[in-house]
Amino acid sequence: MKKLRILVVDDDHQNRKLLEIILSCEGYAPIIIASDGEMAINMLQGNQYDLVMTDLNMPKADGLEVTTFVKRYFPNTKVILLTAFRDEIKPEGAAPDRIIRKPYDIKEVRDAISELFPN
């Protein structure tokens, strides 16, 4: 097992499950799930994560709000923003460490995490 505390944030159940399966198959644990940005921010307040993978468009708090919160209070936590939008993302707050465009595949996720956490 690769010890990284990963928080996956997505309002779409199928996307959350897909990421959970991909990450589990790659040997990452533990994987914690949040179903929207507000839930993620609440979970972040009491826990430290190595990586947050968040969808961009979600109700209550979007992925940019989650990213800004993480970078403000947990600057060592890496953030991967997941988006189906093809336009360039221009964060008003803190920038994510990586952006992965949907639909993504196992290799994209694996490569992004490997770049952020070499060995």
Side-chain angles (χ1 to χ4, degrees):
M1 286 252 161
K2 301 172 186 174
K3 287 288 187 183
L4 282 181
R5 284 185 51 85
I6 300 174
L7 176 61
V8 172
V9 188
D10 199 317
D11 61 319
D12 183 281
H13 174 74
Q14 289 180 339
N15 286 335
R16 286 192 313 267
K17 197 66 183 165
L18 175 62
L19 270 175
E20 186 176 18
I21 290 167
I22 289 171
L23 295 169
S24 294
C25 288
E26 289 297 311
Y28 292 105
I31 302 161
I32 296 86
I33 304 296
S35 59
D36 62 55
E38 182 178 78
M39 177 186 279
I41 289 170
N42 288 334
M43 292 171 74
L44 283 157
Q45 291 178 26
N47 297 287
Q48 178 72 36
Y49 297 94
D50 300 299
L51 173 62
V52 174
M53 298 183 75
T54 182
D55 186 26
L56 175 61
N57 282 331
M58 296 180 291
K60 301 181 184 175
D62 67 19
L64 294 178
E65 291 173 86
V66 172
T67 300
T68 298
F69 183 88
V70 169
K71 293 304 183 180
R72 177 178 296 146
Y73 296 104
F74 304 100
N76 293 327
T77 298
K78 304 296 185 195
V79 177
I80 296 176
L81 187 67
L82 308 165
T83 181
F85 290 96
R86 297 292 172 215
D87 296 335
E88 186 173 329
I89 305 295
K90 295 182 180 156
E92 293 178 16
D97 296 285
R98 293 284 183 280
I99 296 173
I100 295 179
R101 307 268 183 224
K102 293 179 180 179
Y104 45 82
D105 61 31
I106 294 170
K107 182 177 179 348
E108 280 181 287
V109 172
R110 180 187 314 129
D111 290 350
I113 294 173
S114 292
E115 288 173 19
L116 295 173
F117 300 94
N119 295 343

